[in-house]
Amino acid sequence: MSKDVIRVTMSSMPPFDEYCKEIRSIWDSHWLTNFGEKHQELERQLVKYLDIPNIHLFSNGHQALEIAIDALELTGEVITTPFTFASTTLAIMRKGLTPVFCDIDENDYTIDADKIESLITEKTSAIMPVHVYGNICNYKKIEQLASKYNLKVIYDGAHAFGEKVDGRSVASLGDITMFSFHATKVFNSIEGGCLAFKDSNLKDRIHALCQFGFSGEDDVSVLGTNSKMNEFQAAMGICNMRHINEYIDKRKACVGRYRERLDGIDGITLCKEKENTVYNYSYFPVVFDEKILGKNRDDIAKALESENIFARKYFYPITSDFTAIREKCSPADTPVAKRISENVLTLPLYAELSFEDIDRICDTILRCCKA
Ligand SMILES: *Cc1c(COP(=O)(O)O)cnc(C)c1O
C-alpha cells in the first residue's frame, strides 16, 4: 500500500516559466511595490472577474479585514460567528470592538441569521458573517436586519472567491467583502487579499488606510497602517487568474469523487449544495457522528495520519475558546458551533489531488468506521 504523504492542501501555482515571464518587466522598471503596473493590472482583472465596481488589494486578507472595520468606522459590538478562522474574531478585537458570538446554522455552518436579531443592542454597529467553507450566508435575512437596525455588514469572504448566488456575485453582498489570497486559498497571490465594495466613496479612505493614512504627499488624514500588496504578489495573482477556472473545475471534480464515495453513509454528514449557487469548492468538510459510527472525529483523524494523510480539524476550537479571546470575552452560547467544531474534519482538497488519492482517503475513513 502506498504511503505517500497527502497533505490537506497544496498551493496552486502557474508554470514556472509563466511567472518568470510575468516578473520580467519588474526588473526593467525597478518598481517593486506601491501600486505599480502589476498591482493595477490585477485590480482591473478582479473588478471584472468578481463583477464589482471597486477592488482594493492588500498584503493579506487579515489586514484587509481590519481596514474594512476602520473604513466603516465601526464602534461597540459586532455580531459574528465563532465558527471561523481566528482572523475574523481577532480583527474585531484588535480594532477595540467587542465580538458578540452568534450560533451557526446546522446545515451549512454559516451564521444562523434567525438568531442575530436577539443579539442586537444599542451598541451594535455591524454584523460580520463568514461564508465559511464557501457556503454563502443567508444574505437576504442579513440584509433585511442591517437595514432595519441601520447596521453595517462586512462579509469575511476568505473562502468564497468568485462564487455567485441568485445570479449575483458574492462580492456584491453587504457593504464590504474581504477575500483572502493566501497560498492555501482557491486563488492565491502567495499572501494577499482584497476588499470588494460598491460604494466608490469608500475608495480614498481605504487607499489612505493601507499606506500610513497618507491622502496626498504632505498629509496623513487617517491613522493608517502599511498593508500594500507588492508587485511580486500581484504578478503571482495575474498568473493564477489565467488558470482560476481550471483550478476550480479540478476541485469540483475532486468534490464529486468524494461525494460518490461518502454520500449517504449513515453517521457521515456532508454539506448539501444549494440551488442557484456557483461554488468554488474551497473546502470539503465532513461531520462524523460518534453515536452512529462508534468512532469520533479524532479517531478518524488518527487513522488518516497513520496512513500519512493529513486532514484538518478546521475549525476547531471555535474562536471564542482560544485563550487570548476567552480571557477578554464573555463565553459564547453557541452549542451548534461547538458541536460541529468538535466533530468536523476538512479532508484534503486541491486542484492537483488525484482520484486515486481520494479513494485512498475514503477507504481509510470507511475502514476506520467499520473497525
Ligand atoms: C484565510 C482566512 C483569513 C485571513 O486571510 P489571510 O490572507 O491569511 O490573512 C480570514 N478569515 C478566514 C475565514 C480565513 O480562512
Side-chain angles (χ1 to χ4, degrees):
M1 165 140 216
S2 146
K3 291 269 185 177
D4 289 347
V5 172
I6 306 176
R7 285 172 299 171
V8 68
T9 188
M10 189 164 81
S11 299
S12 291
M13 294 169 83
F16 182 62
D17 291 344
E18 185 181 335
Y19 187 67
C20 292
K21 214 170 137 205
E22 192 64 48
I23 60 174
R24 178 71 248 179
S25 60
I26 304 178
W27 254 261
D28 298 336
S29 67
H30 288 243
W31 191 311
L32 305 182
T33 186
N34 286 34
F35 319 108
E37 170 200 308
K38 304 294 173 194
H39 188 287
Q40 290 170 40
E41 172 63 23
L42 182 58
E43 270 188 5
R44 274 195 296 274
Q45 289 186 16
L46 291 173
V47 161
K48 235 168 129 185
Y49 188 80
L50 297 174
D51 191 18
I52 187 85
N54 301 289
I55 289 287
H56 199 288
L57 298 174
F58 291 88
S59 52
N60 61 63
H62 181 83
Q63 282 290 319
L65 211 48
E66 289 199 12
I67 285 183
I69 291 171
D70 282 336
L72 297 177
E73 299 178 270
L74 303 188
T75 56
E77 297 173 358
V78 177
I79 298 173
T80 188
T81 166
F83 191 72
T84 180
F85 185 54
S87 170
T88 320
T89 309
L90 291 173
I92 295 169
M93 293 177 70
R94 285 172 51 82
K95 288 285 120 193
L97 307 174
T98 305
V100 173
F101 296 108
C102 181
D103 210 351
I104 59 172
D105 181 287
E106 66 179 331
N107 297 307
D108 64 15
Y109 317 139
T110 63
I111 196 165
D112 185 341
D114 293 327
K115 295 196 176 132
I116 293 175
E117 193 161 17
S118 65
L119 299 172
I120 296 173
T121 72
E122 252 147 43
K123 291 188 194 144
T124 310
S125 65
I127 308 171
M128 200 187 286
V130 180
H131 301 304
V132 69
Y133 303 132
N135 291 338
I136 296 172
C137 298
N138 182 351
Y139 73 93
K140 285 181 189 156
K141 176 86 197 191
I142 292 168
E143 219 163 65
Q144 192 194 323
L145 288 169
S147 91
K148 181 169 169 193
Y149 293 94
N150 194 23
L151 304 175
K152 302 287 186 195
V153 179
I154 298 173
Y155 279 104
D156 180 335
H159 303 171
F161 183 80
E163 295 192 324
K164 293 193 176 74
V165 59
D166 303 326
R168 293 172 63 170
S169 162
V170 74
S172 72
L173 308 177
D175 294 281
I176 302 183
T177 297
M178 179 280 279
F179 296 101
S180 163
F181 308 155
H182 182 258
T184 56
K185 306 298 206 265
V186 169
F187 167 73
N188 85 76
S189 60
I190 308 172
E191 291 260 8
C194 77
L195 293 180
F197 48 99
K198 286 165 289 200
D199 180 4
S200 300
N201 293 320
L202 289 171
K203 213 174 170 147
D204 290 346
R205 189 173 163 81
I206 287 174
H207 190 67
L209 281 163
C210 105
Q211 51 156 350
F212 310 101
F214 277 101
S215 43
E217 258 179 47
D218 300 327
D219 193 32
V220 168
S221 58
V222 285
L223 297 178
T225 179
N226 177 12
S227 51
K228 301 184 295 288
M229 177 181 280
N230 69 50
E231 290 291 277
F232 290 86
Q233 290 174 287
M236 186 63 136
I238 290 168
C239 292
N240 276 329
M241 274 305 285
R242 290 192 194 106
H243 303 280
I244 184 67
N245 293 333
E246 164 201 329
Y247 297 156
I248 292 173
D249 286 347
K250 285 181 171 170
R251 284 173 173 272
K252 179 176 182 175
C254 291
V255 167
R257 184 65 167 196
Y258 270 126
R259 286 190 184 281
E260 274 174 35
R261 296 294 315 274
L262 298 178
D263 217 356
I265 293 177
D266 209 22
I268 293 184
T269 305
L270 313 177
C271 285
K272 288 197 182 57
E273 284 192 22
K274 289 189 183 157
E275 279 180 24
N276 304 319
T277 306
V278 178
Y279 290 96
N280 65 9
Y281 304 95
S282 46
Y283 295 90
F284 193 70
V286 180
V287 172
F288 297 95
D289 185 336
E290 186 177 8
K291 281 201 203 93
I292 296 173
L293 299 168
K295 289 288 188 324
N296 63 29
R297 181 268 309 271
D298 294 347
D299 298 328
I300 289 161
K302 265 189 224 122
L304 288 167
E305 257 173 57
S306 69
E307 294 289 328
N308 258 344
I309 299 164
F310 297 92
R312 256 192 93 174
K313 295 174 196 177
Y314 205 51
F315 295 93
Y316 173 82
I318 50 176
T319 63
S320 49
D321 282 347
F322 283 124
T323 306
I325 293 167
R326 200 181 53 219
E327 280 172 351
K328 290 206 163 71
C329 297
S330 24
D333 179 20
T334 57
V336 180
K338 187 131 184 118
R339 174 169 61 80
I340 299 301
S341 161
E342 284 166 357
N343 295 290
V344 71
L345 270 188
T346 56
L347 300 185
L349 180 59
Y350 46 89
E352 300 309 319
L353 185 65
S354 70
F355 280 19
E356 243 172 45
D357 284 346
I358 294 173
D359 286 341
R360 206 179 116 203
I361 294 162
C362 295
D363 289 342
T364 307
I365 292 171
L366 296 174
R367 214 182 314 121
C368 173
C369 292
K370 278 202 196 109

